[in-house]
Amino acid sequence: MSPSPSQRPIGVFDSGIGGLTVVRALTQVLPHENIVYFGDTARVPYGPKSPQVVREYALQDTDVLLKHDVKLIVIACNTVSAVALDVVQKRARVPVIGVIQPGAEAAVAASKKKRIGIIGTAGTINSGAYTNAIRLIESGAHVSGRACPLFVPLAEEGWTDHKVTELIAKEYLFPLTLEKIDTLVLGCTHYPLLRDVIDRVLHHSVTLIDSGAATALVVQRTLAELGLTNASTLKPHLRFLVSDIPNKFTEVGERFLGHKLGKVERDGGWGA
Amino acid sequence: MSPSPSQRPIGVFDSGIGGLTVVRALTQVLPHENIVYFGDTARVPYGPKSPQVVREYALQDTDVLLKHDVKLIVIACNTVSAVALDVVQKRARVPVIGVIQPGAEAAVAASKKKRIGIIGTAGTINSGAYTNAIRLIESGAHVSGRACPLFVPLAEEGWTDHKVTELIAKEYLFPLTLEKIDTLVLGCTHYPLLRDVIDRVLHHSVTLIDSGAATALVVQRTLAELGLTNASTLKPHLRFLVSDIPNKFTEVGERFLGHKLGKVERDGGWGA
């Protein structure tokens, strides 16, 4: 017996580990949804790579999820959401939700002065995707972006409360403080792990927007609108697939997910 | 007319940009050699990835170089040299030289107390390749390794003389100072860019070994032994190929090579 449409899993993909912060947010607002996660750990990171290559990879990642009969796809990766949302939406036969639009909406809603900062990978910042999304909602908004390439390796190294991380955060965020932002979008899945140090460096005076958390709420609303919310109250099935062998993913991933991962499988679906 | 065997290029490959420090060392000791370089910028970095995936990628990179009729292959990447030298040697029909053995030999020669430290990526350090190579030369050597995952992003960010880099270097290198090393192998192509800060943190009291420079000397010797040194005194042809589009490679690469790169071409030979 095939599962009812609402019991089919949500598909989530990311360049690697970071998207687990989005899975965490999803499980908090949608505790009964089955989820299949794919992390392209054999080719991570996407942030410094060209839009052309990221688009190629995003389509291959989408195909991995489509094999698992997902009812909706969440692009957890900000870089992919910034440069490849259109090609993924064209390929998938199901609704596709990226993290940029939900993050932009949450930022505009939160910002009193409409002075908004964006931090992310070079790929995300150079794309201008957040700026465009925010200006479509609030054309007069003042938006400043800053790429923070060292934040991802710092988060993966686990130096989330290290004096070095605070110094680096000060250097990266100083130009944004000059812009007198009142709201800052954490435009990379790794950055929620650095939330405390970012908040401290900004003297607790800037509202921090976690695009992943904002996206989880949009997914919740979309499923409800489409009648695809899983009515079951059984413990859901979470499945984790990666393109490299899972050792490091399992070890570091638990910090990102916030609890034990369980079994992680390798899916080299695109050729590894 | 096809070129004489000695006029054929040396092939050099790396996971990305870092191998340009090895090209720089090669051009210093072998100023008349033609060189074809391939950087797998679409999948960089290899350091945090599993040995299995690195071996798959190394074979694909080798095939790119073999298409260019190279007379010898240099594996500039320490991670690849550590975990995939055997498979590359089996695939190539030409001599293959990795950076581990030359680095190990240079370290043993330089170390008075035979107390040697190794720094590199997680992949290089976890492989134990340097330790094994050093112990085969000097069985009683005391060898200590330390993975330094933040050094690569710091070098790529250009923070080669930043107080943050000094703090990070202190933290990474402190355990090695406790081991009373007198020689330290810079076991990653990016690390020569951080030589000054590493030297300062170690109070100028430890001999630093650049595996790339040691490898260039071995290449020089090998070509002479095989009668393959290019006798031409014309300006050599340096050709740079990358798997992602070249923008970032060109910009950052000049810091690594030490001079202008000229034209950089995309070769998605393995499928990009």
Side-chain angles (χ1 to χ4, degrees), chain B residues 192-223:
Chain B
L193 275 78
L194 304 177
R195 175 185 268 273
D196 288 350
V197 66
I198 292 169
D199 192 34
R200 197 160 62 236
V201 162
L202 296 172
H203 306 294
H204 313 284
S205 63
V206 170
T207 304
L208 302 182
I209 301 294
D210 176 350
S211 287
T215 301
L217 295 173
V218 171
V219 172
Q220 185 188 40
R221 196 175 68 214
T222 304
L223 289 179

PDB file of all heavy atoms in Angstrom, chain B residues 192-223:
ATOM      1  N   PRO B 192      52.447  27.864   3.028  1.00  0.00           N
ATOM      2  CA  PRO B 192      53.567  28.788   2.798  1.00  0.00           C
ATOM      3  C   PRO B 192      53.138  30.263   2.852  1.00  0.00           C
ATOM      4  O   PRO B 192      53.939  31.121   3.213  1.00  0.00           O
ATOM      5  CB  PRO B 192      54.064  28.394   1.394  1.00  0.00           C
ATOM      6  CG  PRO B 192      53.761  26.939   1.310  1.00  0.00           C
ATOM      7  CD  PRO B 192      52.429  26.790   2.022  1.00  0.00           C
ATOM      8  N   LEU B 193      51.876  30.557   2.553  1.00  0.00           N
ATOM      9  CA  LEU B 193      51.406  31.937   2.650  1.00  0.00           C
ATOM     10  C   LEU B 193      51.349  32.418   4.098  1.00  0.00           C
ATOM     11  O   LEU B 193      51.316  33.624   4.344  1.00  0.00           O
ATOM     12  CB  LEU B 193      50.028  32.097   2.002  1.00  0.00           C
ATOM     13  CG  LEU B 193      50.048  32.332   0.486  1.00  0.00           C
ATOM     14  CD1 LEU B 193      50.289  31.052  -0.281  1.00  0.00           C
ATOM     15  CD2 LEU B 193      48.770  32.986   0.019  1.00  0.00           C
ATOM     16  N   LEU B 194      51.293  31.468   5.039  1.00  0.00           N
ATOM     17  CA  LEU B 194      51.224  31.839   6.455  1.00  0.00           C
ATOM     18  C   LEU B 194      52.572  31.643   7.145  1.00  0.00           C
ATOM     19  O   LEU B 194      52.679  31.667   8.363  1.00  0.00           O
ATOM     20  CB  LEU B 194      50.151  30.985   7.161  1.00  0.00           C
ATOM     21  CG  LEU B 194      48.748  31.046   6.570  1.00  0.00           C
ATOM     22  CD1 LEU B 194      47.824  30.095   7.315  1.00  0.00           C
ATOM     23  CD2 LEU B 194      48.181  32.465   6.638  1.00  0.00           C
ATOM     24  N   ARG B 195      53.618  31.450   6.334  1.00  0.00           N
ATOM     25  CA  ARG B 195      54.943  31.135   6.878  1.00  0.00           C
ATOM     26  C   ARG B 195      55.398  32.161   7.917  1.00  0.00           C
ATOM     27  O   ARG B 195      55.867  31.794   8.996  1.00  0.00           O
ATOM     28  CB  ARG B 195      55.967  31.054   5.729  1.00  0.00           C
ATOM     29  CG  ARG B 195      57.395  30.841   6.170  1.00  0.00           C
ATOM     30  CD  ARG B 195      58.350  30.891   4.976  1.00  0.00           C
ATOM     31  NE  ARG B 195      58.577  29.575   4.417  1.00  0.00           N
ATOM     32  CZ  ARG B 195      59.519  28.731   4.851  1.00  0.00           C
ATOM     33  NH1 ARG B 195      60.289  29.039   5.864  1.00  0.00           N
ATOM     34  NH2 ARG B 195      59.670  27.554   4.274  1.00  0.00           N
ATOM     35  N   ASP B 196      55.228  33.437   7.636  1.00  0.00           N
ATOM     36  CA  ASP B 196      55.730  34.465   8.553  1.00  0.00           C
ATOM     37  C   ASP B 196      55.053  34.384   9.919  1.00  0.00           C
ATOM     38  O   ASP B 196      55.714  34.457  10.949  1.00  0.00           O
ATOM     39  CB  ASP B 196      55.530  35.869   7.961  1.00  0.00           C
ATOM     40  CG  ASP B 196      56.491  36.134   6.813  1.00  0.00           C
ATOM     41  OD1 ASP B 196      57.419  35.320   6.617  1.00  0.00           O
ATOM     42  OD2 ASP B 196      56.305  37.135   6.111  1.00  0.00           O
ATOM     43  N   VAL B 197      53.734  34.221   9.913  1.00  0.00           N
ATOM     44  CA  VAL B 197      53.032  34.204  11.199  1.00  0.00           C
ATOM     45  C   VAL B 197      53.360  32.915  11.959  1.00  0.00           C
ATOM     46  O   VAL B 197      53.547  32.931  13.182  1.00  0.00           O
ATOM     47  CB  VAL B 197      51.512  34.444  11.007  1.00  0.00           C
ATOM     48  CG1 VAL B 197      50.847  33.330  10.259  1.00  0.00           C
ATOM     49  CG2 VAL B 197      50.825  34.668  12.337  1.00  0.00           C
ATOM     50  N   ILE B 198      53.492  31.812  11.250  1.00  0.00           N
ATOM     51  CA  ILE B 198      53.852  30.543  11.899  1.00  0.00           C
ATOM     52  C   ILE B 198      55.256  30.664  12.512  1.00  0.00           C
ATOM     53  O   ILE B 198      55.495  30.272  13.660  1.00  0.00           O
ATOM     54  CB  ILE B 198      53.783  29.385  10.879  1.00  0.00           C
ATOM     55  CG1 ILE B 198      52.330  29.126  10.468  1.00  0.00           C
ATOM     56  CG2 ILE B 198      54.438  28.115  11.433  1.00  0.00           C
ATOM     57  CD1 ILE B 198      52.162  28.194   9.272  1.00  0.00           C
ATOM     58  N   ASP B 199      56.147  31.245  11.752  1.00  0.00           N
ATOM     59  CA  ASP B 199      57.527  31.424  12.224  1.00  0.00           C
ATOM     60  C   ASP B 199      57.561  32.305  13.480  1.00  0.00           C
ATOM     61  O   ASP B 199      58.264  32.027  14.448  1.00  0.00           O
ATOM     62  CB  ASP B 199      58.348  32.053  11.086  1.00  0.00           C
ATOM     63  CG  ASP B 199      59.847  32.006  11.361  1.00  0.00           C
ATOM     64  OD1 ASP B 199      60.314  31.021  11.981  1.00  0.00           O
ATOM     65  OD2 ASP B 199      60.544  32.945  10.959  1.00  0.00           O
ATOM     66  N   ARG B 200      56.758  33.361  13.467  1.00  0.00           N
ATOM     67  CA  ARG B 200      56.725  34.290  14.602  1.00  0.00           C
ATOM     68  C   ARG B 200      56.155  33.603  15.857  1.00  0.00           C
ATOM     69  O   ARG B 200      56.704  33.731  16.955  1.00  0.00           O
ATOM     70  CB  ARG B 200      55.867  35.506  14.215  1.00  0.00           C
ATOM     71  CG  ARG B 200      56.060  36.708  15.088  1.00  0.00           C
ATOM     72  CD  ARG B 200      55.597  37.981  14.382  1.00  0.00           C
ATOM     73  NE  ARG B 200      54.184  37.961  14.071  1.00  0.00           N
ATOM     74  CZ  ARG B 200      53.678  38.139  12.832  1.00  0.00           C
ATOM     75  NH1 ARG B 200      54.468  38.347  11.798  1.00  0.00           N
ATOM     76  NH2 ARG B 200      52.377  38.115  12.636  1.00  0.00           N
ATOM     77  N   VAL B 201      55.067  32.853  15.662  1.00  0.00           N
ATOM     78  CA  VAL B 201      54.437  32.174  16.794  1.00  0.00           C
ATOM     79  C   VAL B 201      55.393  31.146  17.411  1.00  0.00           C
ATOM     80  O   VAL B 201      55.360  30.896  18.622  1.00  0.00           O
ATOM     81  CB  VAL B 201      53.119  31.504  16.314  1.00  0.00           C
ATOM     82  CG1 VAL B 201      52.643  30.452  17.280  1.00  0.00           C
ATOM     83  CG2 VAL B 201      52.058  32.571  16.097  1.00  0.00           C
ATOM     84  N   LEU B 202      56.249  30.560  16.593  1.00  0.00           N
ATOM     85  CA  LEU B 202      57.223  29.574  17.085  1.00  0.00           C
ATOM     86  C   LEU B 202      58.543  30.251  17.475  1.00  0.00           C
ATOM     87  O   LEU B 202      59.559  29.571  17.654  1.00  0.00           O
ATOM     88  CB  LEU B 202      57.453  28.505  16.014  1.00  0.00           C
ATOM     89  CG  LEU B 202      56.221  27.649  15.664  1.00  0.00           C
ATOM     90  CD1 LEU B 202      56.512  26.758  14.471  1.00  0.00           C
ATOM     91  CD2 LEU B 202      55.780  26.814  16.868  1.00  0.00           C
ATOM     92  N   HIS B 203      58.528  31.572  17.622  1.00  0.00           N
ATOM     93  CA  HIS B 203      59.697  32.351  18.073  1.00  0.00           C
ATOM     94  C   HIS B 203      60.930  32.100  17.209  1.00  0.00           C
ATOM     95  O   HIS B 203      62.044  32.048  17.730  1.00  0.00           O
ATOM     96  CB  HIS B 203      59.997  32.045  19.542  1.00  0.00           C
ATOM     97  CG  HIS B 203      58.801  32.256  20.435  1.00  0.00           C
ATOM     98  ND1 HIS B 203      58.240  33.494  20.652  1.00  0.00           N
ATOM     99  CD2 HIS B 203      58.022  31.379  21.116  1.00  0.00           C
ATOM    100  CE1 HIS B 203      57.195  33.376  21.452  1.00  0.00           C
ATOM    101  NE2 HIS B 203      57.029  32.104  21.742  1.00  0.00           N
ATOM    102  N   HIS B 204      60.716  31.874  15.914  1.00  0.00           N
ATOM    103  CA  HIS B 204      61.821  31.701  14.950  1.00  0.00           C
ATOM    104  C   HIS B 204      62.781  30.587  15.362  1.00  0.00           C
ATOM    105  O   HIS B 204      63.947  30.595  14.972  1.00  0.00           O
ATOM    106  CB  HIS B 204      62.601  33.024  14.786  1.00  0.00           C
ATOM    107  CG  HIS B 204      61.708  34.220  14.582  1.00  0.00           C
ATOM    108  ND1 HIS B 204      61.075  34.476  13.383  1.00  0.00           N
ATOM    109  CD2 HIS B 204      61.305  35.190  15.432  1.00  0.00           C
ATOM    110  CE1 HIS B 204      60.339  35.573  13.509  1.00  0.00           C
ATOM    111  NE2 HIS B 204      60.455  36.021  14.741  1.00  0.00           N
ATOM    112  N   SER B 205      62.279  29.629  16.152  1.00  0.00           N
ATOM    113  CA  SER B 205      63.201  28.621  16.687  1.00  0.00           C
ATOM    114  C   SER B 205      62.958  27.235  16.092  1.00  0.00           C
ATOM    115  O   SER B 205      63.549  26.253  16.533  1.00  0.00           O
ATOM    116  CB  SER B 205      63.058  28.556  18.210  1.00  0.00           C
ATOM    117  OG  SER B 205      61.746  28.133  18.528  1.00  0.00           O
ATOM    118  N   VAL B 206      62.073  27.152  15.117  1.00  0.00           N
ATOM    119  CA  VAL B 206      61.752  25.865  14.502  1.00  0.00           C
ATOM    120  C   VAL B 206      61.995  25.989  12.987  1.00  0.00           C
ATOM    121  O   VAL B 206      61.617  26.988  12.380  1.00  0.00           O
ATOM    122  CB  VAL B 206      60.274  25.482  14.791  1.00  0.00           C
ATOM    123  CG1 VAL B 206      59.839  24.284  13.969  1.00  0.00           C
ATOM    124  CG2 VAL B 206      60.063  25.222  16.284  1.00  0.00           C
ATOM    125  N   THR B 207      62.629  24.987  12.396  1.00  0.00           N
ATOM    126  CA  THR B 207      62.867  25.019  10.953  1.00  0.00           C
ATOM    127  C   THR B 207      61.573  24.655  10.223  1.00  0.00           C
ATOM    128  O   THR B 207      60.972  23.607  10.497  1.00  0.00           O
ATOM    129  CB  THR B 207      63.966  24.003  10.570  1.00  0.00           C
ATOM    130  OG1 THR B 207      65.130  24.298  11.345  1.00  0.00           O
ATOM    131  CG2 THR B 207      64.301  24.074   9.090  1.00  0.00           C
ATOM    132  N   LEU B 208      61.154  25.512   9.307  1.00  0.00           N
ATOM    133  CA  LEU B 208      59.913  25.255   8.565  1.00  0.00           C
ATOM    134  C   LEU B 208      60.239  24.623   7.218  1.00  0.00           C
ATOM    135  O   LEU B 208      61.074  25.128   6.468  1.00  0.00           O
ATOM    136  CB  LEU B 208      59.143  26.561   8.365  1.00  0.00           C
ATOM    137  CG  LEU B 208      58.771  27.320   9.649  1.00  0.00           C
ATOM    138  CD1 LEU B 208      57.955  28.574   9.301  1.00  0.00           C
ATOM    139  CD2 LEU B 208      57.988  26.434  10.612  1.00  0.00           C
ATOM    140  N   ILE B 209      59.562  23.510   6.924  1.00  0.00           N
ATOM    141  CA  ILE B 209      59.795  22.791   5.673  1.00  0.00           C
ATOM    142  C   ILE B 209      58.598  22.985   4.752  1.00  0.00           C
ATOM    143  O   ILE B 209      57.465  22.653   5.109  1.00  0.00           O
ATOM    144  CB  ILE B 209      59.974  21.276   5.946  1.00  0.00           C
ATOM    145  CG1 ILE B 209      61.141  21.019   6.900  1.00  0.00           C
ATOM    146  CG2 ILE B 209      60.127  20.504   4.629  1.00  0.00           C
ATOM    147  CD1 ILE B 209      62.500  21.381   6.343  1.00  0.00           C
ATOM    148  N   ASP B 210      58.860  23.533   3.579  1.00  0.00           N
ATOM    149  CA  ASP B 210      57.814  23.703   2.575  1.00  0.00           C
ATOM    150  C   ASP B 210      57.872  22.486   1.652  1.00  0.00           C
ATOM    151  O   ASP B 210      58.792  22.335   0.853  1.00  0.00           O
ATOM    152  CB  ASP B 210      58.091  25.004   1.805  1.00  0.00           C
ATOM    153  CG  ASP B 210      57.121  25.230   0.660  1.00  0.00           C
ATOM    154  OD1 ASP B 210      56.356  24.304   0.326  1.00  0.00           O
ATOM    155  OD2 ASP B 210      57.143  26.333   0.082  1.00  0.00           O
ATOM    156  N   SER B 211      56.876  21.612   1.791  1.00  0.00           N
ATOM    157  CA  SER B 211      56.891  20.374   0.997  1.00  0.00           C
ATOM    158  C   SER B 211      56.906  20.666  -0.496  1.00  0.00           C
ATOM    159  O   SER B 211      57.502  19.913  -1.275  1.00  0.00           O
ATOM    160  CB  SER B 211      55.661  19.518   1.325  1.00  0.00           C
ATOM    161  OG  SER B 211      55.802  18.935   2.589  1.00  0.00           O
ATOM    162  N   GLY B 212      56.261  21.746  -0.892  1.00  0.00           N
ATOM    163  CA  GLY B 212      56.227  22.094  -2.312  1.00  0.00           C
ATOM    164  C   GLY B 212      57.616  22.399  -2.851  1.00  0.00           C
ATOM    165  O   GLY B 212      57.999  21.939  -3.938  1.00  0.00           O
ATOM    166  N   ALA B 213      58.399  23.165  -2.088  1.00  0.00           N
ATOM    167  CA  ALA B 213      59.754  23.506  -2.512  1.00  0.00           C
ATOM    168  C   ALA B 213      60.617  22.241  -2.562  1.00  0.00           C
ATOM    169  O   ALA B 213      61.407  22.048  -3.501  1.00  0.00           O
ATOM    170  CB  ALA B 213      60.352  24.535  -1.556  1.00  0.00           C
ATOM    171  N   ALA B 214      60.460  21.378  -1.563  1.00  0.00           N
ATOM    172  CA  ALA B 214      61.222  20.120  -1.549  1.00  0.00           C
ATOM    173  C   ALA B 214      60.840  19.263  -2.757  1.00  0.00           C
ATOM    174  O   ALA B 214      61.691  18.608  -3.378  1.00  0.00           O
ATOM    175  CB  ALA B 214      60.949  19.368  -0.246  1.00  0.00           C
ATOM    176  N   THR B 215      59.578  19.277  -3.109  1.00  0.00           N
ATOM    177  CA  THR B 215      59.097  18.485  -4.243  1.00  0.00           C
ATOM    178  C   THR B 215      59.674  18.995  -5.559  1.00  0.00           C
ATOM    179  O   THR B 215      60.043  18.201  -6.439  1.00  0.00           O
ATOM    180  CB  THR B 215      57.550  18.528  -4.283  1.00  0.00           C
ATOM    181  OG1 THR B 215      57.064  17.988  -3.045  1.00  0.00           O
ATOM    182  CG2 THR B 215      57.002  17.727  -5.448  1.00  0.00           C
ATOM    183  N   ALA B 216      59.790  20.303  -5.690  1.00  0.00           N
ATOM    184  CA  ALA B 216      60.341  20.878  -6.928  1.00  0.00           C
ATOM    185  C   ALA B 216      61.756  20.358  -7.165  1.00  0.00           C
ATOM    186  O   ALA B 216      62.129  20.053  -8.306  1.00  0.00           O
ATOM    187  CB  ALA B 216      60.314  22.398  -6.847  1.00  0.00           C
ATOM    188  N   LEU B 217      62.534  20.234  -6.104  1.00  0.00           N
ATOM    189  CA  LEU B 217      63.903  19.726  -6.246  1.00  0.00           C
ATOM    190  C   LEU B 217      63.901  18.256  -6.687  1.00  0.00           C
ATOM    191  O   LEU B 217      64.736  17.840  -7.494  1.00  0.00           O
ATOM    192  CB  LEU B 217      64.667  19.893  -4.928  1.00  0.00           C
ATOM    193  CG  LEU B 217      64.897  21.354  -4.501  1.00  0.00           C
ATOM    194  CD1 LEU B 217      65.499  21.439  -3.110  1.00  0.00           C
ATOM    195  CD2 LEU B 217      65.805  22.064  -5.523  1.00  0.00           C
ATOM    196  N   VAL B 218      62.962  17.473  -6.159  1.00  0.00           N
ATOM    197  CA  VAL B 218      62.861  16.062  -6.557  1.00  0.00           C
ATOM    198  C   VAL B 218      62.443  15.955  -8.031  1.00  0.00           C
ATOM    199  O   VAL B 218      62.946  15.113  -8.778  1.00  0.00           O
ATOM    200  CB  VAL B 218      61.871  15.305  -5.639  1.00  0.00           C
ATOM    201  CG1 VAL B 218      61.599  13.902  -6.173  1.00  0.00           C
ATOM    202  CG2 VAL B 218      62.419  15.238  -4.215  1.00  0.00           C
ATOM    203  N   VAL B 219      61.550  16.839  -8.449  1.00  0.00           N
ATOM    204  CA  VAL B 219      61.133  16.839  -9.859  1.00  0.00           C
ATOM    205  C   VAL B 219      62.338  17.162 -10.749  1.00  0.00           C
ATOM    206  O   VAL B 219      62.578  16.497 -11.769  1.00  0.00           O
ATOM    207  CB  VAL B 219      59.994  17.863 -10.096  1.00  0.00           C
ATOM    208  CG1 VAL B 219      59.691  18.008 -11.589  1.00  0.00           C
ATOM    209  CG2 VAL B 219      58.730  17.429  -9.345  1.00  0.00           C
ATOM    210  N   GLN B 220      63.096  18.168 -10.351  1.00  0.00           N
ATOM    211  CA  GLN B 220      64.297  18.556 -11.103  1.00  0.00           C
ATOM    212  C   GLN B 220      65.241  17.360 -11.253  1.00  0.00           C
ATOM    213  O   GLN B 220      65.716  17.053 -12.355  1.00  0.00           O
ATOM    214  CB  GLN B 220      65.001  19.692 -10.351  1.00  0.00           C
ATOM    215  CG  GLN B 220      66.203  20.280 -11.065  1.00  0.00           C
ATOM    216  CD  GLN B 220      66.964  21.260 -10.163  1.00  0.00           C
ATOM    217  OE1 GLN B 220      67.117  21.006  -8.965  1.00  0.00           O
ATOM    218  NE2 GLN B 220      67.404  22.361 -10.736  1.00  0.00           N
ATOM    219  N   ARG B 221      65.482  16.647 -10.163  1.00  0.00           N
ATOM    220  CA  ARG B 221      66.390  15.498 -10.161  1.00  0.00           C
ATOM    221  C   ARG B 221      65.836  14.367 -11.036  1.00  0.00           C
ATOM    222  O   ARG B 221      66.550  13.743 -11.814  1.00  0.00           O
ATOM    223  CB  ARG B 221      66.571  15.024  -8.717  1.00  0.00           C
ATOM    224  CG  ARG B 221      67.742  14.100  -8.495  1.00  0.00           C
ATOM    225  CD  ARG B 221      67.896  13.799  -7.001  1.00  0.00           C
ATOM    226  NE  ARG B 221      66.794  12.990  -6.503  1.00  0.00           N
ATOM    227  CZ  ARG B 221      66.270  13.078  -5.274  1.00  0.00           C
ATOM    228  NH1 ARG B 221      66.738  13.948  -4.399  1.00  0.00           N
ATOM    229  NH2 ARG B 221      65.279  12.290  -4.908  1.00  0.00           N
ATOM    230  N   THR B 222      64.530  14.111 -10.885  1.00  0.00           N
ATOM    231  CA  THR B 222      63.908  13.016 -11.630  1.00  0.00           C
ATOM    232  C   THR B 222      63.974  13.264 -13.133  1.00  0.00           C
ATOM    233  O   THR B 222      64.295  12.358 -13.916  1.00  0.00           O
ATOM    234  CB  THR B 222      62.438  12.848 -11.181  1.00  0.00           C
ATOM    235  OG1 THR B 222      62.420  12.641  -9.777  1.00  0.00           O
ATOM    236  CG2 THR B 222      61.774  11.666 -11.887  1.00  0.00           C
ATOM    237  N   LEU B 223      63.666  14.495 -13.543  1.00  0.00           N
ATOM    238  CA  LEU B 223      63.725  14.813 -14.982  1.00  0.00           C
ATOM    239  C   LEU B 223      65.148  14.615 -15.509  1.00  0.00           C
ATOM    240  O   LEU B 223      65.350  14.062 -16.597  1.00  0.00           O
ATOM    241  CB  LEU B 223      63.262  16.252 -15.235  1.00  0.00           C
ATOM    242  CG  LEU B 223      61.772  16.539 -15.056  1.00  0.00           C
ATOM    243  CD1 LEU B 223      61.481  18.025 -15.329  1.00  0.00           C
ATOM    244  CD2 LEU B 223      60.903  15.665 -15.969  1.00  0.00           C
TER     245      LEU B 223
END
